[in-house]
Amino acid sequence: MAGSRFVPNRQNIATFLRTPEMRALIERKTRAVAAAAASVSEAGGQFRVDVDTGEHRARGAVMGDYSTNDPEVSRRALLRALDAARAVE
């Protein structure tokens, strides 16, 4: 076994990461983070969710609090809300 090594099948991994099920999971998790960030925000809590399926994978992002001009307020709310994604299946 000393000579064996793991070689990932990148094409199949990319296919898996683009499936509708993976996109739905990413969307549920990003929406949970956005909702949690809005609830703990010191400002108005206007966060935007962006989910996109690209060539290689589905990806999701939660964009900052549009109700404030202070990036630190957005950052604090997003950091507090990250655990919300763990609770979503």
Side-chain angles (χ1 to χ4, degrees):
M1 276 267 183
S4 64
R5 61 175 232 202
F6 175 76
V7 180
N9 184 331
R10 295 184 190 281
Q11 185 176 8
N12 284 346
I13 292 170
T15 301
F16 170 73
L17 293 175
R18 285 190 311 264
T19 62
E21 294 84 4
M22 183 59 68
R23 180 187 167 95
L25 175 67
I26 290 170
E27 188 162 0
R28 284 193 308 271
K29 288 186 176 278
T30 53
R31 292 206 183 278
V33 170
S39 69
V40 299
S41 177
E42 300 163 15
Q46 296 176 2
F47 292 88
R48 194 177 107 206
V49 173
D50 179 36
V51 179
D52 182 44
T53 303
E55 183 180 338
H56 299 290
R57 63 185 169 92
R59 63 151 194 88
V62 180
M63 270 70 78
D65 195 343
Y66 288 96
S67 64
T68 181
N69 289 329
D70 186 0
E72 198 55 40
V73 171
S74 292
R75 222 173 278 127
R76 270 195 302 271
L78 285 169
L79 287 173
R80 284 190 207 157
L82 281 178
D83 282 337
R86 290 184 190 170
V88 175
E89 293 297 321

